[in-house]
Amino acid sequence: MTLPFFGALQASLNVYSSVFIMFWGVMVLACIGLWLISFTRILAPTYLESLLFWGFGTVMVAFAAFRPIGITRDDLAYLEIFNGICPAIFCGKWIQGSRDWGWHSLMGILKSFIADPRLMIYASAVVVLFQLGLIYRLARHPLLALVLFTGVFYQELDLTAFRIAMASTFFLWGFVLLVLDRPVIGGFLTLTGGLFHKQAFIGPLILIGPHLRERFFWLPLLVILPIGLMFLGQFPSIPDLLTHLGFHQDSAFVVKDGMDAYLGLRAADGLMGWRTAPIVMYPLLILAIGLAWDAFQINRRLYSYSAATIVWGAWFLWAFASLPIVQVRFFDFLIFPVIFLAGNCRYDGWRLSGIIAVSSLFVIKYNVLHTLFQ
């Protein structure tokens, strides 16, 4: 006899969600197995971890490249966007789009050679491959980073939101170079992401990182403060603030082709019943602070820039609590480098359990409670 809970669970899952959960589960088992092997001398964990990382990564890149168009909530909108882009070589429009000019213009150039809308899918696969390369470059334990990346970011960004995924990749690239002590080009790349998605222009905010490197207590303090204010209901109303500053939907760069749809949704009571912030964000913040302690002890450059992303993520949760959709988009973008904290922590049972637990919350959110794919 099937229990009611499992019957409801089965009914909520589609083919993609079921396969993804199994894939993620195998990855988790591989992580646990690798941890157990580390207690023996049977095989060098580093070699095996690299093999597993690229094995799972190859599957993720392949799916990103060859998945059907139309299985995600944003695919039809992207098809419409792609149809509105002209082949740059033939139409002479080298800069395209009212915003996110880098992505639109790149698609326009590539469309001169490949008119198939699958071009967007192929580009997303290249983005995934580059992200994996960045993880492998900076992480001491890339498989741990991959478990968190797969559960929290891969589905929502790389398979769903092509523009912000590309922008986030430039942000990650700049982050890695900053940690590797390449401040000029690293700082420039954190700004470059804004050309591919407007919200990524906030990337250079992480340059405050060096000011956080000397004292760890600043990190939890600067995170607890905005979250506490948000719990108390003390956060700004973005519509009222924009009105007070004299911005209007038809004139402000920060609003037009950006937050105008969300402001309209809020005005129509379309955000009634939304939480101040998604519950899954709090465990992710707690995990990030916990993992940051390891980085503080072994790599202050990694810690300082990671701490900046965590702090800004918390403050953007507070600042945009009146517009939950915008709030989540900013938070997801800023917190992305947490994967490098996961990849550089101590590979012990507590940290492994924490990473798996937080990753599983997002897997449940995106594949059971609110499925991203049809």
Side-chain angles (χ1 to χ4, degrees):
M1 183 175 68
T2 304
L3 295 175
F5 170 77
F6 291 104
L9 176 62
Q10 184 178 9
S12 69
L13 297 179
N14 54 39
V15 174
Y16 171 80
S17 296
S18 300
V19 172
F20 179 83
I21 290 173
M22 288 188 290
F23 175 78
W24 176 85
V26 172
M27 189 184 299
V28 168
L29 290 176
C31 258
I32 296 173
L34 195 67
W35 174 58
L36 295 174
I37 287 175
S38 67
F39 294 103
T40 72
R41 298 180 181 273
I42 298 175
L43 190 63
T46 301
Y47 170 77
L48 182 57
E49 185 169 13
S50 297
L51 190 64
L52 289 168
F53 174 84
W54 286 113
F56 288 119
T58 298
V59 174
M60 294 166 67
V61 172
F63 181 79
F66 300 111
R67 72 168 180 84
I69 295 179
I71 65 171
T72 80
R73 61 188 180 188
D74 289 345
D75 278 0
L76 296 181
Y78 268 102
L79 281 174
E80 185 176 348
I81 293 172
F82 185 82
N83 291 333
I85 297 174
C86 69
I89 292 178
F90 303 109
C91 71
K93 293 182 63 176
W94 297 99
I95 304 297
Q96 301 192 47
S98 59
R99 50 170 276 194
D100 309 339
W101 312 284
W103 188 87
H104 287 88
S105 301
L106 177 62
M107 290 300 109
I109 293 171
L110 296 177
K111 193 174 182 179
S112 302
F113 306 97
I114 304 175
D116 191 329
R118 291 200 63 83
L119 172 65
M120 297 182 294
I121 305 293
Y122 300 145
S124 74
V126 174
V127 166
V128 175
L129 180 60
F130 197 83
Q131 290 172 353
L132 294 176
L134 292 173
I135 292 173
Y136 192 76
R137 174 66 181 85
L138 196 59
R140 294 186 301 128
H141 301 297
L143 194 59
L144 272 179
L146 189 64
V147 167
L148 195 63
F149 167 73
T150 304
V152 179
F153 302 106
Y154 174 66
Q155 295 180 96
E156 185 190 18
L157 294 181
D158 294 310
L159 302 182
T160 307
F162 301 142
R163 289 173 295 174
I164 188 57
M166 191 172 289
S168 296
T169 302
F170 278 87
F171 180 59
L172 288 184
W173 189 8
F175 179 92
V176 169
L177 291 179
L178 287 170
V179 173
L180 296 177
D181 201 15
R182 301 283 298 278
V184 176
I185 185 64
F188 174 75
L189 285 171
T190 63
L191 177 63
T192 302
L195 297 175
F196 297 89
H197 196 283
K198 186 177 178 179
Q199 76 178 53
F201 279 123
I202 66 173
L205 288 174
I206 70 165
L207 296 178
I208 70 164
H211 298 288
L212 301 172
R213 66 182 298 166
E214 297 303 327
R215 297 288 186 272
F216 180 79
F217 76 88
W218 282 112
L219 174 57
L221 179 63
L222 290 174
V223 169
I224 291 171
L225 180 57
I227 298 303
L229 289 172
M230 193 167 61
F231 270 121
L232 294 173
Q234 302 301 311
F235 51 81
S237 169
I238 297 300
D240 294 344
L241 180 61
L242 291 173
T243 300
H244 177 73
L245 295 175
F247 289 123
H248 302 284
Q249 292 188 27
D250 59 352
S251 62
F253 174 77
V254 72
V255 177
K256 185 173 174 57
D257 294 323
M259 290 191 295
D260 47 353
Y262 308 117
L263 290 169
L265 184 63
R266 186 179 188 276
D269 294 329
L271 298 177
M272 293 291 292
W274 284 63
R275 294 187 179 90
T276 305
I279 293 177
V280 292
M281 302 306 179
Y282 304 122
L284 181 56
L285 278 172
I286 294 171
L287 176 69
I289 293 172
L291 297 178
W293 174 245
D294 283 352
F296 181 77
Q297 294 178 308
I298 63 175
N299 187 336
R300 288 293 178 91
R301 293 191 66 84
L302 172 61
Y303 166 76
S304 64
Y305 291 110
S306 297
T309 67
I310 299 167
V311 168
W312 281 119
W315 280 98
F316 271 80
L317 280 179
W318 168 80
F320 288 90
S322 61
L323 292 176
I325 301 176
V326 180
Q327 172 199 53
V328 171
R329 288 177 178 269
F330 277 124
F331 178 79
D332 287 345
F333 173 79
L334 287 164
I335 205 68
F336 205 167
V338 70
I339 58 178
F340 297 119
L341 291 177
N344 286 280
C345 68
R346 282 180 284 175
Y347 206 149
D348 62 18
W350 287 106
R351 289 161 179 79
L352 175 60
S353 299
I355 290 168
I356 292 173
V358 171
S359 184
S360 67
L361 290 176
F362 282 84
V363 170
I364 292 170
K365 176 185 178 182
Y366 295 143
N367 295 279
V368 180
L369 302 179
H370 310 287
T371 54
L372 291 177
F373 294 83
Q374 302 173 357

